[in-house]
Amino acid sequence: KGWHLQRCPLSLQVLAYNRRTYTTVSQRLVITVIPAPGGEPPYQGEFLVGNRNVEELLPEAAREMFLQGSSGVWERGDLQVINITSALDRGGRVPLPIEGRKEGVYVKVGSHSPFSSCLESAVSPQSRFRCSLGQQPLASCYDTFAPHFSIRWCNLSLLQVWPSPTTPGLVWGSGVLEDDGDFQPPTEVPLHDLLPGFLVTLLVPLVVAALLCLLLGHLMCCRREGV
């Protein structure tokens, strides 16, 4: 956010493993990042899909189907997928390998149009209170995601992003320092007398060592039996 991107090629190394055989495959991808034509969508909504894994929503056909369901509840047509994240990266638990359970996927969708009344009612305080009681939140629209996607409406989050001002880029000079006259060195540091500190650091340990030697000699020589 706030970066002025022109065209930035990125080189990523992707390491994947097979869940059944645990074999790994490595591949290097070169991705060219270009800014969106209309900028970052200011209205963003994140849905939790409970019946999908993250790799099932990566194909373009699956994302288009999800956008169709989103346009039904958003009541807008200019939607785009911004981010897809596995629920395991958000603290979710690994599902048991029974009954075809899925990990869950967070899908963030953005639009330049405001949220619909259905989405706003789903994140209202009344809906959050119903979710705390284990009930479904308030939603005045028909769930157009069904039956392909099972949305956890209690995990819906809406975010309004305001564009941040862009800072001007770097200005390259000629590489030669400008002539500003003679070099002016910094002001001189006043001289300090370091002799007292040196004497204290050196003499105090010597005096303490001499006193300990005298005490030890007195105890060993003058306190013997018969002396």
Side-chain angles (χ1 to χ4, degrees):
K1 298 178 180 179
W3 290 2
H4 184 64
L5 297 177
Q6 295 294 332
R7 181 179 291 269
C8 180
L10 300 177
S11 178
L12 302 178
Q13 185 175 6
V14 181
L15 181 64
Y17 74 96
N18 192 311
R19 295 183 178 181
R20 296 182 177 85
T21 61
Y22 295 98
T23 57
T24 58
V25 176
S26 177
Q27 184 178 2
R28 185 175 296 276
L29 302 177
V30 178
I31 302 175
T32 301
V33 180
I34 58 177
E40 185 179 10
Y43 299 94
Q44 301 178 6
E46 191 173 52
F47 302 86
L48 174 58
V49 185
N51 62 338
R52 287 290 187 272
N53 291 331
V54 63
E55 63 270 12
E56 297 176 354
L57 280 173
L58 293 179
E60 184 178 359
R63 288 187 279 113
E64 290 295 334
M65 186 181 301
F66 188 85
L67 288 177
Q68 292 178 5
S70 303
S71 61
V73 297
W74 202 305
E75 301 176 359
R76 299 292 186 272
D78 61 333
L79 302 179
Q80 55 180 314
V81 176
I82 300 177
N83 187 26
I84 299 176
T85 307
S86 173
L88 300 182
D89 297 335
R90 300 288 187 87
R93 296 182 179 180
V94 178
L96 297 176
I98 56 176
E99 301 177 359
R101 298 183 180 181
K102 304 293 184 177
E103 299 173 355
V105 186
Y106 283 94
V107 182
K108 181 180 291 187
V109 179
S111 172
H112 290 274
S113 304
F115 304 112
S116 63
S117 58
C118 172
L119 295 178
E120 292 180 347
S121 62
V123 296
S124 61
Q126 295 81 3
S127 295
R128 297 305 186 191
F129 178 72
R130 290 173 61 90
C131 289
S132 63
L133 299 178
Q135 303 176 3
Q136 288 293 330
L138 300 174
S140 57
C141 58
Y142 177 71
D143 187 0
T144 56
F145 291 99
H148 304 287
F149 304 102
S150 177
I151 304 298
R152 308 287 177 81
W153 289 102
C154 288
N155 296 91
L156 174 66
S157 60
L158 302 180
L159 177 64
Q160 189 169 357
V161 180
W162 298 102
S164 57
T166 58
T167 57
L170 297 177
V171 179
W172 297 96
S174 61
V176 180
L177 294 177
E178 297 180 358
D179 186 10
D180 291 336
D182 298 334
F183 173 71
Q184 298 293 335
T187 57
E188 297 181 358
V189 180
L191 297 177
H192 296 281
D193 189 6
L194 303 179
L195 181 60
F198 171 75
L199 295 178
V200 171
T201 305
L202 182 63
L203 293 180
V204 171
L206 292 178
V207 172
V208 173
L211 293 177
L212 292 177
C213 291
L214 292 176
L215 179 61
L216 182 61
H218 176 73
L219 294 177
M220 296 182 63
C221 298
C222 301
R223 291 294 181 178
R224 297 178 59 185
E225 183 177 356
V227 177

